[in-house]
Amino acid sequence: MIEYSRIWVAGRAHRPTTARRVVSLIETHIAGTPLGSRRLAAVVPSEVQAWAADRAKVLAPTTLRNLVGLLRSIYAAAVLDRLVGRSPVVRLTLPAAHRERIVPLTVDQVRALADAMPRRNRAMVIIQAGLGLRLGELLALRVQDVDLAARTVRVEWQFAPQSKVRTEPKTGRSRRSVPLPRIVAEAIEKHMQDWPPAEDGTLFTTRFGTPYRHDYYGTLIFKKAVAAAGLPEGTTSHDLRHHYASVLLMQGESVIVVAERLGHENANLVLSTYGHLMPDSEERTRRAVDDAWSCAPDVPQTRLRRHDQGGQRRFRR
């Protein structure tokens, strides 16, 4: 089946980064297993279940579910091509996927991180935390994307991992306008005074005048600053995006607005990821019920008398 899997992925309209990820999954977790050598039409559900159980030993539950979804898509295409009568990727038992609750960085932690960065990169922390940008969006930001007068920033481009060539954002909703807070505007202005933008307008460049790559900035510069600031191990630049979302929610922004600011397709992802960060509503619940009852007309109280029937206690008005 590996031959058909390769043909399938070659015919998909994937973005370059997605294509590389899918090819890697196919070559590592399908071609590199007994399942990959089986004839496409010969695979039965029990073999798929055994394959999934084996992959569960080396993959996180969420990654495994993505891999199973990939195999399901391959077989769905094979059914349409009439190469198999039905898909064997059915009724699989997979490990439960428990998403760890996000603990966002505080303002003090973000400040400490910015202070621990090299001077050339300090504004990048404030800007990402204050605009909620993805790393690729931050690295691709240009001076012409920033409107200081209108106090907005347009997210038009991104740098994909392993690339310094601008491409369109992740999804249609990712292309968006984000309100520009004062603290971010000040950080941008100071950064441009100290390090003028490149000829094409790129705001953040290395000392050689070239854009940063994901791995160089995220793995070397950012990771070193995380350790110097004493932040939790495993903190990445994406945690600044989590910080942004948590600030908006705590200040009362709706999940729909937060989804728009982050460039998500819908609000469901915001709810599932950040729902636990929304302000506690217990007091609002109490007040809502009390207010409703205080406005309602008085209802005469009735006496309840207890009686037994069939060995059971019941209540009547």
Side-chain angles (χ1 to χ4, degrees), residues 3 54 70 292 312:
E3 289 81 6
D54 177 68
L70 170 62
Q312 295 182 348

Side-chain angles (χ1 to χ4, degrees), residues 62 65 75-76 93 95 98 117 139 147 171 226 296:
T62 300
R65 290 178 183 275
Y75 263 101
T93 301
H98 299 290
M117 294 285 277
L139 300 181
D147 190 335
T171 64
V226 165

Side-chain angles (χ1 to χ4, degrees), residues 1-42:
M1 66 163 295
I2 187 57
E3 289 81 6
Y4 183 79
S5 299
R6 289 167 177 159
I7 293 172
W8 175 85
V9 71
R12 302 293 291 179
H14 286 141
R15 297 171 65 88
T17 52
T18 303
R20 286 194 294 268
R21 183 173 65 252
V22 172
V23 168
S24 177
L25 287 173
I26 289 175
E27 296 301 327
T28 304
H29 299 290
I30 296 180
T33 67
L35 190 68
S37 61
R38 296 281 287 148
R39 286 191 308 109
L40 192 68

